[in-house]
Amino acid sequence: MDKKSQNNKESNHACNDENHSHNHDDKSCSCEKGIFEDIEKFEKEKSKKPLIILGIGFIIFLIGYFISLIELNIFENLINNALLSQFIYLLVVIIVGQGIIKEGIESLLNKKIKIEFLVTIATIGAFLLGDGGEGAILIILFYLAEYLEGYSLDKSKRSLANLINLNPNKAMVKRENGDVVEVKIEDINIGNRVVVKPGDKIPVDGIISYGRTSVDQSSITGESLCVNKKIGDEVYASTINEEGYIEIEVRKKSNDTLFSKIIELIKESEEKKAKVDHFIDRFAKYYTPTIVILALFVAIIPYLFFGESLREWTYRALVLLVIACPCALAISTPVSMVSAITSGTKNGIIIKGGEYIESLSKTKVVLFDKTGTLTEGNLEIHDIVPLKDFSKEEIIAIACSLEEKSKHPIANAFNEYKNNHNISLEKVHEFESLAGKGLKGKINGKTYYVGKEELFDYNNNLNKDINEFIKKEKLKKTSVIIGKSDSNNKENSGKTRVILGNSDSILGFISLTDKIRENAPKTIEKLKKQSIKTVMLTGDNSATAKMVFEKLRLDDYYSNLLPEDKVKKVENILNEYKDIAMVGDGVNDTPSLARANVGIAMGMNGADVAIETADIVLMQDDISKVFFLINLAKKTMNVVKQNIIVILAVKGLLVIFGVLGYVTLWEAILIGDMGLTLLVVANALRIAR
């Protein structure tokens, strides 16, 4: 079975046999089709036909009602008023309820008991008992309930439909001869050059080959702030070019863009149902038949054994049939999950299914990778220790002047420090990059070196100065590659050390550390306040891991872990706590993400792999979204529980009062179906606010 067939099968299973149709004119059922199916064709302006039918039906009903109340002698010899009003009520049923009745009969022929069939039986029963008015108002209210339910459910689709419709259908492609032609998105090939003017939507994934601009990436990341882009930077379909004229070299076909994958994940997310949703399916499967059997007993037993009125108890049995509608119960979980997924999408979070929302709500431990998750994976200058008669300002100015000419990743830390501290650079002559060691250059006629200890091997006296400093500070040498320690090191400070010197002496030491993410400390603090344990799993050495552990005040950490070691550690913690989530970059941590109850991938880097492997994807490098996610999950499951409790309580009371004769047919449909359904939907929509 292919994936598409499997999705269709599970989507059909998502709606139990008793669910109803929301639009009887086109026989389209949101529950049966899947709430995300055909979402691309979502109509922003709904047809007015259902309202017209309702209006006509209600007017005709009023005519029949008034005829039943007044004396009209003109009909005396032809037909009495009561019989005439019954005919008029029947006309209402034919106009408003023909789709409902047809659907009910078809369900019976397919050996299914659906709400349309129950309403049909109740309507026929009302006419047989001489209460055609009750039957007509029952059909009108049921039709209205279906319309309002569909309208309410559409609200939960609307933002997702708007998201899907963000991507343009055409793009301007620049040919080799310089001509610019309009081309359909699906006809664009990898390697084509696409022109995007200021204010236009970017139609494809690619690399900027000409120009610079700022881009609104909120459709992907949920972040409202624009991101500056220049030649060589990656841009994504559905994002908006805010300012400059740019040309993009296409890197992916339209059906393979990051945005298209996000949409597919959203549409497929319904198949991954929460456990509570499966429970509701099983419950509803037996719930309606049970009510039908109970209704038969209510109609027959009082008449056979107690001599009660058959008409009265048949009416009460019909009320029970109407109360049996499981609509509100059936949609209570799906609509809440859709609302949660919608809320996540608005915040740049892709949640792949309701089951992960339910699992996340029970999380007791959150495991974090270090590099790229708790830290940015970028070095920052931690401290500066000058020697001789040099000051910190002189040391960092010389180092920044040399590093400014380097393309090594470590140079970024010096450039950032220079920009943040307004450091004036010296002019560097005869610059040279010494592979694997460091940098060399002349400043004011004097040669300076900045880099690793090996850079100063040419002078034993300089090596002696370095060793004395290390001994004094009780440090051991470290590699400049973050997270990799020298094989001879028995202990590591957790810092990357850069040495600055000249031909004669060592001038100072500059220590760098991996930069902690801005929101990491507050996120960890908030999680711990909710009694959620926080643990770091990292392949880095123990000193580096300990430093991050202490800065963030985590509950525990494990270092020097290979990927297979991480998986074993995840399994151990899973066995102990049962409910855990793993947050990683979605590439190196793929096995661990897969093993946890919920795997959460961070950020845009390696996004293709992250989207395919994780259960939840944070499209923005914002770790605070983890806390938002857990809160969203807990809120969602609370809403689900509230809905189920209210539905069962109200229906239970309606059953009791219905049997006792205190509930009419129209009250049963108004409260037990329409009222409860709208209440459930309204409560669920709070999640997406």
Side-chain angles (χ1 to χ4, degrees):
M1 181 182 293
D2 60 17
K3 185 176 181 181
K4 184 176 181 180
S5 300
Q6 179 68 21
N7 289 348
N8 289 338
K9 179 182 177 182
E10 296 195 31
S11 180
N12 290 334
H13 175 66
C15 178
N16 58 73
D17 294 340
E18 294 78 22
N19 287 344
H20 57 274
S21 171
H22 295 292
N23 188 332
H24 301 284
D25 297 318
D26 60 11
K27 295 166 74 171
S28 169
C29 176
S30 295
C31 298
E32 291 176 350
K33 288 175 63 177
I35 201 161
F36 294 134
E37 189 171 329
D38 294 333
I39 197 169
E40 301 96 330
K41 301 176 184 177
F42 177 79
E43 298 177 4
K44 293 185 178 180
E45 293 189 14
K46 302 297 289 183
S47 169
K48 293 181 180 179
K49 184 179 177 182
L51 292 177
I52 294 173
I53 291 174
L54 274 171
I56 294 173
F58 188 67
I59 291 172
I60 296 176
F61 171 80
L62 289 178
I63 293 173
Y65 179 71
F66 283 120
I67 287 177
S68 69
L69 295 179
I70 61 177
E71 297 276 344
L72 290 177
N73 294 329
I74 190 172
F75 297 113
E76 186 175 309
N77 297 324
L78 299 175
I79 187 172
N80 63 50
N81 292 355
L83 189 58
L84 177 61
S85 64
Q86 294 298 308
F87 277 121
I88 293 175
Y89 291 145
L90 183 60
L91 182 61
V92 172
V93 172
I94 293 172
I95 292 173
V96 179
Q98 57 179 313
I100 298 171
I101 295 171
K102 183 179 179 182
E103 187 82 6
I105 294 173
E106 287 180 355
S107 72
L108 181 64
L109 294 176
N110 291 325
K111 299 179 181 180
K112 298 176 182 178
I113 300 177
K114 298 176 66 175
I115 181 58
E116 288 83 4
F117 176 69
L118 300 182
V119 171
T120 299
I121 293 299
T123 302
I124 294 172
F127 274 90
L128 292 176
L129 294 175
D131 292 326
E134 286 258 30
I137 199 65
L138 174 64
I139 284 290
I140 290 174
L141 287 175
F142 183 74
Y143 192 96
L144 177 62
E146 300 295 270
Y147 175 79
L148 291 177
E149 180 184 334
Y151 180 81
S152 301
L153 286 172
D154 286 342
K155 283 193 171 185
S156 65
K157 287 185 181 182
R158 194 173 299 277
S159 60
L160 291 178
N162 290 339
L163 173 66
I164 288 171
N165 293 327
L166 278 176
N167 213 31
N169 296 320
K170 297 180 180 180
M172 305 304 294
V173 175
K174 189 173 185 180
R175 300 302 189 191
E176 292 183 3
N177 61 5
D179 292 342
V180 178
V181 295
E182 188 176 67
V183 177
K184 291 182 179 179
I185 292 295
E186 56 267 26
D187 294 333
I188 295 176
N189 296 315
I190 295 173
N192 285 163
R193 180 171 286 201
V194 172
V195 170
V196 185
K197 296 178 181 179
D200 289 347
K201 291 176 182 175
I202 295 173
V204 292
D205 284 9
I207 301 292
I208 294 179
S209 57
Y210 176 85
R212 59 189 306 141
T213 187
S214 60
V215 176
D216 177 359
Q217 296 188 154
S218 58
S219 62
I220 299 290
T221 65
E223 173 58 49
S224 58
L225 296 177
C226 293
V227 180
N228 293 326
K229 299 283 186 176
K230 60 184 184 303
I231 292 176
D233 286 345
E234 193 168 8
V235 291
Y236 305 97
S238 85
T239 59
I240 301 173
N241 177 24
E242 291 287 342
E243 296 176 348
Y245 170 91
I246 57 174
E247 294 180 7
I248 301 167
E249 181 184 335
V250 179
R251 292 295 180 91
K252 292 180 182 177
K253 294 280 287 182
S254 61
N255 60 353
D256 196 37
T257 64
L258 178 59
F259 184 76
S260 66
K261 289 184 178 180
I262 290 172
I263 298 307
E264 285 305 310
L265 287 171
I266 291 173
K267 290 193 292 181
E268 291 175 7
S269 63
E270 192 181 19
E271 71 181 81
K272 297 175 180 176
K273 302 173 70 177
K275 291 180 181 178
V276 67
D277 206 359
H278 288 295
F279 168 76
I280 293 297
D281 284 348
R282 292 193 299 269
F283 180 82
K285 184 178 180 180
Y286 300 104
Y287 165 78
T288 303
T290 301
I291 293 293
V292 171
I293 294 172
L294 179 62
L296 288 174
F297 287 153
V298 168
I300 296 172
I301 291 177
Y303 172 72
L304 292 179
F305 295 97
F306 302 101
E308 296 286 338
S309 168
L310 179 61
R311 182 188 184 283
E312 174 63 25
W313 286 94
T314 299
Y315 182 85
R316 297 184 188 185
L318 295 178
V319 170
L320 282 186
L321 289 181
V322 175
I323 294 172
C325 173
C327 306
L329 191 64
I331 70 167
S332 60
T333 301
V335 75
S336 299
M337 295 304 173
V338 170
S339 194
I341 291 170
T342 302
S343 179
T345 303
K346 288 179 180 178
N347 286 275
I349 302 169
I350 307 303
I351 304 171
K352 295 186 180 180
E355 65 176 276
Y356 306 121
I357 296 173
E358 184 175 14
S359 293
L360 203 59
S361 70
K362 299 183 288 186
T363 297
K364 298 181 180 67
V365 182
V366 178
L367 309 177
F368 294 93
D369 174 46
K370 185 187 79 67
T371 306
T373 304
L374 293 173
T375 68
E376 294 184 0
N378 299 317
L379 294 173
E380 65 176 349
I381 293 175
H382 184 264
D383 53 36
I384 304 165
V385 181
L387 301 180
K388 311 297 181 183
D389 296 327
F390 282 81
S391 66
K392 287 185 178 181
E393 290 74 18
E394 290 173 307
I395 291 291
I396 196 64
I398 294 171
C400 286
S401 298
L402 290 167
E403 294 286 355
E404 197 267 341
K405 292 185 172 295
S406 173
K407 294 184 179 180
H408 193 282
I410 202 171
N412 295 332
F414 285 88
N415 291 332
E416 183 178 351
Y417 189 91
K418 172 202 69 176
N419 294 332
N420 293 338
H421 295 81
N422 297 318
I423 294 173
S424 299
L425 299 181
E426 301 286 349
K427 195 168 184 180
V428 178
H429 299 278
E430 300 179 20
F431 174 80
E432 186 178 353
S433 178
L434 306 172
K437 294 184 178 181
L439 309 173
K440 172 185 176 183
K442 281 190 176 182
I443 298 176
N444 297 325
K446 195 170 184 67
T447 301
Y448 291 93
Y449 300 84
V450 60
K452 299 166 65 174
E453 180 181 348
E454 290 83 354
L455 186 60
F456 301 92
D457 284 345
Y458 65 89
N459 189 318
N460 290 332
N461 290 329
L462 298 185
N463 275 331
K464 183 179 179 181
D465 291 342
I466 293 171
N467 290 330
E468 285 180 357
F469 176 81
I470 292 174
K471 185 177 180 180
K472 180 180 178 181
E473 298 294 325
K474 295 182 180 179
L475 298 174
K476 299 294 183 181
K477 66 180 180 178
T478 63
S479 169
V480 294
I481 303 176
I482 189 67
K484 302 273 188 178
S485 60
D486 190 289
S487 58
N488 295 324
N489 282 351
K490 294 181 181 178
E491 185 181 347
N492 193 303
S493 66
K495 300 176 183 178
T496 295
R497 185 169 56 250
V498 172
I499 305 169
L500 178 68
N502 55 31
S503 302
D504 304 319
S505 59
I506 300 299
L507 307 181
F509 296 82
I510 302 171
S511 296
L512 300 93
T513 58
D514 194 358
K515 191 174 183 179
I516 300 289
R517 286 199 180 276
E518 182 180 357
N519 294 323
K522 287 185 179 179
T523 300
I524 298 300
E525 182 181 354
K526 289 178 180 179
L527 289 173
K528 293 174 75 171
K529 283 183 179 179
Q530 289 197 355
S531 300
I532 296 174
K533 189 169 180 156
T534 56
V535 180
M536 179 174 67
L537 306 180
T538 179
D540 277 351
N541 58 75
S542 59
T544 301
K546 185 177 181 181
M547 185 171 61
V548 175
F549 162 76
E550 291 175 344
K551 280 186 178 181
L552 295 178
R553 298 181 179 178
L554 298 163
D555 291 303
D556 207 348
Y557 74 97
Y558 300 91
S559 58
N560 296 306
L561 298 176
L562 296 172
E564 56 266 32
D565 298 326
K566 279 190 179 182
V567 173
K568 290 179 182 178
K569 190 59 65 177
V570 169
E571 289 176 345
N572 292 339
I573 297 173
L574 183 61
N575 290 334
E576 182 177 356
Y577 291 96
K578 307 304 179 186
D579 300 294
I580 68 172
M582 173 74 189
V583 187
D585 60 18
V587 181
N588 298 326
D589 298 304
T590 299
S592 300
L593 291 172
R595 188 66 189 90
N597 298 100
V598 181
I600 304 172
M602 282 279 293
M604 299 283 284
N605 295 327
D608 286 348
V609 178
I611 287 177
E612 290 171 4
T613 58
D615 305 316
I616 297 174
V617 182
L618 311 182
M619 301 308 295
Q620 186 183 351
D621 286 327
D622 185 356
I623 198 171
S624 67
K625 299 292 186 183
V626 174
F627 179 74
F628 169 84
L629 257 175
I630 292 177
N631 266 358
L632 176 65
K634 290 185 175 182
K635 181 179 180 181
T636 301
M637 295 313 298
N638 283 336
V639 167
V640 169
K641 292 173 184 176
Q642 291 166 11
N643 284 343
I644 292 174
I645 290 171
V646 169
I647 291 167
L648 294 180
V650 172
K651 282 192 176 289
L653 288 173
L654 285 175
V655 167
I656 294 172
F657 286 114
V659 172
L660 295 176
Y662 294 111
V663 180
T664 63
L665 279 172
W666 69 268
E667 288 171 339
I669 197 73
L670 185 66
I671 301 172
D673 181 32
M674 182 170 67
L676 278 179
T677 299
L678 294 180
L679 179 64
V680 164
V681 172
N683 195 30
L685 289 177
R686 293 189 304 112
I687 298 170
R689 289 177 185 173

